[in-house]
RNA sequence: GCGCCGGUAGCUCAGUGGAUAGAGCGUCGGCCUCCGGAGCCGAAGGUCGCAGGUUCGAAUCCUGUCCGGCGCGCCA
């Protein structure tokens, strides 16, 4: 339960009391509207504001102001609440008790890294599959967005109390592997790269590095040469991908190979299951899934007329394989170009008897890479693309993490390499890190003169507006985290972290921490330490370092 | 043509039915005898693509329309 949850419950109780007392009349059988609760922008509107009375007005057939007054009158005594007032056209404004607010510093500080965590009402087991870039070339910056979103989302979901499995799906199956092998062989022999082949400097590197025994085996069986060399090449590419992810600070619990879905019979069993419920049929020599039965535009092929499975076949097997591991929810983080496949996979899950809502795809919008106003093509096949390492060399991991996780993943973004380089020194991420370093510095200076944090009397001592404002921001952290988790979004976290850093700067400006007044200094040091701790928590959710000095 | 996602300050983006629409960057003007100036204060800058509709109230919901991206395969 976060502070916001507590207040919402208190409002609901007051509303129900008003109904029970007959002050508020709701016709039987009407469902009560949800209670909106937000932090108003204007201080004169209190610390929290609710529109509950205005929402209730139509069903209660009464003036919003009168309803608000009835709820305010019925509002039970809360240790955190100083006053509940009413403002036109019917807002319920809640003012927190300043001494209660300041008194929370000790608890926040004591909670440390666990502050704000574990608030999920019903913890679930959630599988997050992300990146899953094909092993046909190194990661490029287009993959970085999904990597950071998946990583931060996993951290956020874990933080609120879910059990998260991070997973990378490795497509080691099918014609793309052969095409990579043939491209490498073409490079070696100086012949033209096949039309569906891969270009780019990394293919040259692979050609140069191909070991003799692999090439000998390819020579020995020309029909199988592409597959043999491709198998070697994808392994090598995969090692490079793992190194890149390592550098990004992104780790996975499970690397799932597409081939195992076939080898272990997951695909076959899934198709049998669909067939048993008449969701599969044969036509034109192919095997089809009746996706139209669930609203899709057309039915989808599972096995082609040549007997080979489609990518969709693996998807079907994969859903059941994941769910068999006990996950309550599957989150797929896909590029926006995959949105066409969302419906069919969810349809298949439903057809197999799974809960459709438990299979969720988050489509990450495209990143357009631009240098000097000119777009840089990102296709592996075209050969020209920017590797992750190049970007990280130029802008740094922390700045890149901040850049990608601070934007809604539904928004397409332009990434100008020159601009990113130029702005990397002015990136807001440094502002947040700077606040953490500054807080650390104050604590060090305090220790030098024999002062330390003392939170016992903060409720009485911290009544300055800047102190109050800062603690209120600290109190917002659990809600910011909970909202991010609930919405499966990341950008709430950097937004919050920036505002906290900003509130800390204002406090630093207005309130000198190390003074002649020992009790006040120690209380302020407790506030500084609590702030430092919450800043570190926020940065940790983003996978960004919290430096003690810069 | 159909579908999905976008269109908010010069630029990059927040704002998932509420009070005078916000932030960063950029621009302009101030602030260093003081715990970290990677900082602080202030200013300029908006027909929320457009047009209807729903609502006490719309950037937000609905319909239409324009613009941009992506998709619409027995490829992955």
């Amino acid at each position: 339960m976060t502070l916001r949850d507590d207040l919402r419950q208190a409002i609901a109780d007051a509303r129900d009391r008003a109904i029970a007392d007959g002050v508020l009349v709701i016709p039987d059988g009407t469902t009560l509207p949800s209670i909106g609760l937000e932090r108003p922008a204007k201080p004169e509107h209190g610390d929290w504001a609710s529109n509950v009375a205005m929402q209730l007005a139509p069903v209660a057939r009464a003036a919003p102001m009168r309803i608000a007054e009835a709820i305010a009158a019925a509002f039970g005594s809360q240790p955190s609440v100083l006053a509940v007032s009413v403002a036109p056209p019917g807002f319920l404004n809640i003012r927190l008790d300043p001494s209660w607010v300041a008194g929370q510093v000790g608890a926040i500080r004591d909670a440390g890294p666990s502050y704000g965590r574990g608030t999920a009402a019903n913890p679930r087991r959630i599988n997050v599959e992300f990146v899953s870039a094909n092993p046909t070339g190194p990661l490029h910056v287009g993959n970085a967005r999904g990597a950071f979103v998946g990583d931060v989302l996993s951290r956020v979901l874990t933080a609120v109390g879910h059990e998260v499995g991070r997973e990378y799906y490795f497509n080691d199956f099918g014609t793309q592997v052969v095409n990579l092998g043939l491209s490498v062989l073409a490079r070696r022999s100086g012949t033209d790269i096949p039309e569906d082949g891969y270009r780019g400097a990394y293919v040259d590197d692979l050609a140069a590095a191909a070991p003799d025994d692999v090439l000998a085996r390819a020579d020995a069986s020309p029909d199988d040469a592409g597959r043999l060399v491709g198998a070697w090449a994808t392994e090598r590419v995969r090692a490079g991908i793992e190194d890149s992810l390592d550098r990004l600070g992104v780790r996975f619990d499970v690397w799932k190979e597409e081939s195992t879905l076939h080898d272990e019979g997951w695909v076959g069993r899934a198709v049998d299951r669909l067939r048993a419920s008449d969701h599969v049929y044969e036509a034109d020599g192919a095997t089809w899934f009746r996706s139209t039965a669930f609203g899709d535009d057309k039915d989808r092929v599972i096995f082609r007329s040549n007997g080979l499975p489609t990518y969709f076949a693996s998807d079907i097997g994969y859903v059941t394989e994941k769910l068999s591991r006990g996950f309550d929810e599957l989150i797929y983080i896909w590029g926006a170009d995959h949105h066409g496949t969302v419906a069919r996979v969810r349809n298949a899950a439903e057809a197999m008897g799974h809960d459709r809502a438990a299979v969720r795809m988050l489509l990450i919008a495209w990143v357009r890479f631009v240098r000097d106003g000119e777009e840089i093509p990102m296709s592996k096949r075209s050969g020209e693309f920017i590797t992750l390492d190049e970007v990280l060399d130029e802008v740094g991991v922390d700045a890149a993490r901040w850049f990608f996780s601070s934007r809604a993943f539904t928004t397409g973004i332009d990434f100008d390499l020159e601009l990113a380089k130029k702005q990397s020194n002015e990136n807001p991420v440094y502002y947040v890190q700077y606040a953490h370093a500054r807080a650390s510095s104050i604590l060090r200076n305090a220790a030098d003169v024999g002062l330390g944090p003392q939170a016992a009397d903060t409720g009485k001592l911290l009544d300055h507006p800047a102190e109050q404002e800062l603690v209120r921001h600290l109190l917002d952290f659990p809600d910011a985290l909970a909202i991010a988790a609930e919405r499966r979004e990341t950008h709430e976290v950097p937004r919050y972290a920036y505002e906290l850093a900003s509130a800390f700067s204002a406090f630093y400006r207005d309130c000198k921490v190390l003074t002649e007044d020992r009790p006040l200094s120690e209380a302020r040091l407790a506030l500084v330490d609590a702030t430092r701790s919450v800043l570190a928590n926020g940065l940790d959710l983003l996978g960004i370092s919290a430096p003690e000095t810069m």
Coordinates of all heavy atoms in Angstrom, one line a residue, chain B residues 26-37:
Chain B
rG26 P 21.7 24.1 -23.7 OP1 23.1 24.1 -23.9 OP2 21.1 24.7 -22.5 O5' 21.0 24.9 -24.9 C5' 21.4 24.6 -26.3 C4' 20.5 25.3 -27.2 O4' 19.1 24.9 -27.1 C3' 20.5 26.8 -27.0 O3' 21.6 27.5 -27.5 C2' 19.2 27.2 -27.7 O2' 19.4 27.2 -29.2 C1' 18.3 26.0 -27.4 N9 17.5 26.3 -26.2 C8 17.8 25.9 -24.9 N7 16.9 26.3 -24.0 C5 16.0 27.1 -24.8 C6 14.9 27.9 -24.4 O6 14.4 28.0 -23.3 N1 14.3 28.5 -25.5 C2 14.8 28.5 -26.7 N2 14.1 29.2 -27.7 N3 15.8 27.8 -27.1 C4 16.4 27.1 -26.1
rU27 P 22.1 28.8 -26.8 OP1 23.4 29.2 -27.5 OP2 22.2 28.5 -25.3 O5' 21.0 29.9 -27.0 C5' 20.7 30.3 -28.3 C4' 19.6 31.4 -28.3 O4' 18.4 30.8 -27.8 C3' 19.9 32.5 -27.3 O3' 20.7 33.5 -27.8 C2' 18.4 33.0 -27.0 O2' 18.0 33.8 -28.1 C1' 17.6 31.7 -27.1 N1 17.4 31.2 -25.7 C2 16.4 31.7 -24.9 O2 15.7 32.6 -25.3 N3 16.2 31.2 -23.7 C4 17.0 30.2 -23.1 O4 16.8 29.8 -22.0 C5 18.0 29.7 -24.0 C6 18.2 30.2 -25.2
rC28 P 21.8 34.1 -26.8 OP1 22.7 34.9 -27.6 OP2 22.3 33.1 -25.8 O5' 20.9 35.2 -26.0 C5' 20.2 36.2 -26.6 C4' 19.2 36.9 -25.7 O4' 18.2 36.0 -25.3 C3' 19.9 37.3 -24.3 O3' 20.7 38.5 -24.4 C2' 18.6 37.5 -23.5 O2' 18.0 38.7 -23.7 C1' 17.8 36.3 -23.9 N1 18.0 35.1 -23.1 C2 17.3 35.0 -21.9 O2 16.5 35.9 -21.6 N3 17.4 33.9 -21.1 C4 18.3 33.0 -21.5 N4 18.5 31.9 -20.6 C5 19.1 33.1 -22.7 C6 18.9 34.1 -23.4
rG29 P 21.9 38.6 -23.4 OP1 22.6 39.8 -23.9 OP2 22.6 37.3 -23.4 O5' 21.2 38.9 -22.0 C5' 20.4 40.0 -21.9 C4' 19.9 40.0 -20.5 O4' 18.9 39.0 -20.3 C3' 20.8 39.7 -19.3 O3' 21.7 40.8 -19.1 C2' 19.9 39.4 -18.2 O2' 19.3 40.6 -17.7 C1' 18.8 38.6 -18.9 N9 19.1 37.2 -18.8 C8 19.8 36.3 -19.7 N7 19.9 35.1 -19.3 C5 19.4 35.1 -18.1 C6 19.2 34.1 -17.1 O6 19.6 32.9 -17.2 N1 18.6 34.5 -15.9 C2 18.2 35.8 -15.7 N2 17.6 36.1 -14.6 N3 18.3 36.8 -16.6 C4 18.9 36.4 -17.7
rG30 P 23.0 40.6 -18.1 OP1 23.9 41.7 -18.2 OP2 23.5 39.2 -18.3 O5' 22.3 40.7 -16.7 C5' 22.9 40.2 -15.6 C4' 22.0 39.9 -14.4 O4' 20.9 39.1 -14.9 C3' 22.6 39.2 -13.3 O3' 23.3 40.0 -12.4 C2' 21.4 38.4 -12.7 O2' 20.6 39.3 -11.9 C1' 20.7 38.0 -14.0 N9 21.2 36.8 -14.5 C8 21.7 36.5 -15.7 N7 22.1 35.3 -15.9 C5 21.7 34.7 -14.7 C6 21.9 33.3 -14.4 O6 22.3 32.4 -15.0 N1 21.4 33.1 -13.1 C2 20.9 34.0 -12.2 N2 20.5 33.7 -11.0 N3 20.7 35.3 -12.6 C4 21.2 35.6 -13.8
rC31 P 24.8 39.7 -12.1 OP1 25.4 41.0 -11.5 OP2 25.4 39.2 -13.3 O5' 24.7 38.6 -11.0 C5' 23.8 38.7 -10.0 C4' 23.7 37.4 -9.2 O4' 23.0 36.4 -10.0 C3' 25.0 36.8 -8.9 O3' 25.6 37.4 -7.7 C2' 24.6 35.3 -8.6 O2' 24.1 35.2 -7.3 C1' 23.5 35.1 -9.6 N1 24.0 34.4 -10.8 C2 24.1 33.0 -10.7 O2 23.8 32.5 -9.6 N3 24.6 32.3 -11.8 C4 24.8 33.0 -12.9 N4 25.3 32.2 -13.9 C5 24.7 34.4 -13.0 C6 24.3 35.1 -12.0
rC32 P 27.2 37.6 -7.7 OP1 27.5 38.5 -6.6 OP2 27.6 38.0 -9.1 O5' 27.7 36.1 -7.4 C5' 29.1 36.0 -7.1 C4' 29.3 34.6 -6.5 O4' 29.2 33.7 -7.6 C3' 30.7 34.5 -6.0 O3' 30.8 34.8 -4.7 C2' 31.0 32.9 -6.2 O2' 30.6 32.2 -5.1 C1' 30.1 32.6 -7.4 N1 30.8 32.3 -8.6 C2 31.5 33.3 -9.3 O2 31.6 34.4 -8.8 N3 32.1 33.0 -10.5 C4 32.0 31.8 -11.0 N4 32.6 31.5 -12.1 C5 31.2 30.8 -10.3 C6 30.7 31.1 -9.2
rU33 P 31.3 36.4 -4.4 OP1 30.1 37.4 -4.4 OP2 32.4 36.7 -5.4 O5' 31.8 36.3 -3.0 C5' 32.1 35.0 -2.4 C4' 33.2 35.1 -1.4 O4' 33.2 36.4 -0.9 C3' 33.0 34.2 -0.2 O3' 33.8 33.0 -0.4 C2' 33.6 35.0 1.0 O2' 35.0 34.7 1.1 C1' 33.4 36.4 0.5 N1 32.2 37.0 1.2 C2 32.5 38.0 2.1 O2 33.6 38.4 2.4 N3 31.4 38.6 2.7 C4 30.0 38.3 2.4 O4 29.2 38.9 3.0 C5 29.9 37.2 1.4 C6 30.9 36.7 0.8
rC34 P 33.0 31.6 -0.7 OP1 34.0 30.6 -0.4 OP2 32.4 31.7 -2.0 O5' 31.9 31.6 0.4 C5' 32.2 30.8 1.6 C4' 30.9 30.2 2.1 O4' 29.8 31.2 2.0 C3' 30.3 29.2 1.1 O3' 30.9 27.9 1.3 C2' 28.8 29.2 1.4 O2' 28.5 28.5 2.6 C1' 28.6 30.7 1.7 N1 28.1 31.4 0.5 C2 26.7 31.3 0.2 O2 26.0 30.7 0.9 N3 26.3 32.0 -0.9 C4 27.1 32.6 -1.7 N4 26.6 33.2 -2.8 C5 28.5 32.6 -1.5 C6 29.0 32.0 -0.4
rC35 P 30.9 26.8 0.2 OP1 32.2 26.3 0.0 OP2 30.0 27.2 -1.0 O5' 30.1 25.6 0.9 C5' 30.7 24.9 2.0 C4' 30.0 23.6 2.3 O4' 28.7 23.8 2.9 C3' 29.7 22.7 1.1 O3' 30.8 22.0 0.7 C2' 28.6 21.8 1.6 O2' 29.1 20.7 2.2 C1' 27.9 22.7 2.7 N1 26.6 23.1 2.4 C2 25.6 22.9 3.4 O2 25.9 22.4 4.4 N3 24.3 23.3 3.2 C4 24.0 23.8 2.0 N4 22.8 24.2 1.8 C5 25.0 24.1 1.0 C6 26.3 23.7 1.2
rG36 P 30.7 21.0 -0.5 OP1 29.7 19.9 -0.1 OP2 32.1 20.6 -1.0 O5' 30.0 21.8 -1.7 C5' 30.8 22.7 -2.4 C4' 30.6 22.6 -3.9 O4' 31.1 21.3 -4.3 C3' 29.1 22.7 -4.4 O3' 29.1 23.3 -5.6 C2' 28.8 21.2 -4.5 O2' 27.7 20.9 -5.4 C1' 30.1 20.6 -5.1 N9 30.2 19.2 -4.9 C8 30.1 18.5 -3.7 N7 30.3 17.2 -3.9 C5 30.6 17.1 -5.3 C6 30.9 16.0 -6.1 O6 31.0 14.8 -5.7 N1 31.1 16.3 -7.4 C2 31.0 17.6 -7.9 N2 31.3 17.7 -9.2 N3 30.8 18.6 -7.2 C4 30.5 18.3 -5.9
rG37 P 28.2 24.6 -5.9 OP1 28.8 25.7 -5.3 OP2 26.8 24.2 -5.6 O5' 28.3 24.8 -7.5 C5' 27.8 23.8 -8.4 C4' 28.1 24.3 -9.8 O4' 27.4 25.6 -10.0 C3' 29.5 24.6 -10.1 O3' 29.8 24.3 -11.4 C2' 29.7 26.1 -9.9 O2' 30.7 26.6 -10.6 C1' 28.3 26.5 -10.5 N9 27.9 27.8 -10.0 C8 27.5 28.2 -8.7 N7 27.2 29.4 -8.6 C5 27.4 29.9 -9.9 C6 27.2 31.2 -10.4 O6 26.9 32.3 -9.8 N1 27.5 31.3 -11.7 C2 27.9 30.3 -12.5 N2 28.2 30.5 -13.8 N3 28.1 29.0 -12.0 C4 27.8 29.0 -10.7

